[in-house]
Amino acid sequence: MINGGDGLFALIAFLPIIFCLVITGFSIYFVIKVIKFMNEKTKLDRERNEKLDELIKVNQGKKD
């Protein structure tokens, strides 16, 4: 019976370490996802701005 309690004590002792590792892993995953999203958003915004510039040039050409 006493040996069974030792395993539970060991599990409880490592619980904060496991918790910190899980939080650190999730944080790294979240930062990587945000960076990928922002890079994709920047690329799409750049493409949209180029298309808007083309539309403005076409629109100005029709006014003249």
Side-chain angles (χ1 to χ4, degrees):
M1 288 288 180
I2 295 174
N3 289 339
D6 291 342
L8 182 62
F9 179 74
L11 179 66
I12 292 174
F14 285 113
L15 210 57
I17 296 170
I18 293 170
F19 185 68
C20 287
L21 287 175
V22 168
I23 289 178
T24 303
F26 178 74
S27 299
I28 292 170
Y29 172 78
F30 180 74
V31 168
I32 289 171
K33 284 295 186 179
V34 167
I35 290 172
K36 286 183 179 181
F37 171 77
M38 291 305 294
N39 286 340
E40 185 69 21
K41 182 181 180 309
T42 302
K43 178 184 159 195
L44 292 174
D45 286 346
R46 192 173 295 126
E47 289 175 3
R48 185 188 61 201
N49 287 340
E50 290 172 2
K51 289 178 183 179
L52 283 173
D53 287 340
E54 290 176 15
L55 284 174
I56 289 170
K57 287 177 186 177
V58 167
N59 194 17
Q60 288 176 347
K62 288 182 179 180
K63 286 184 180 179
D64 294 338

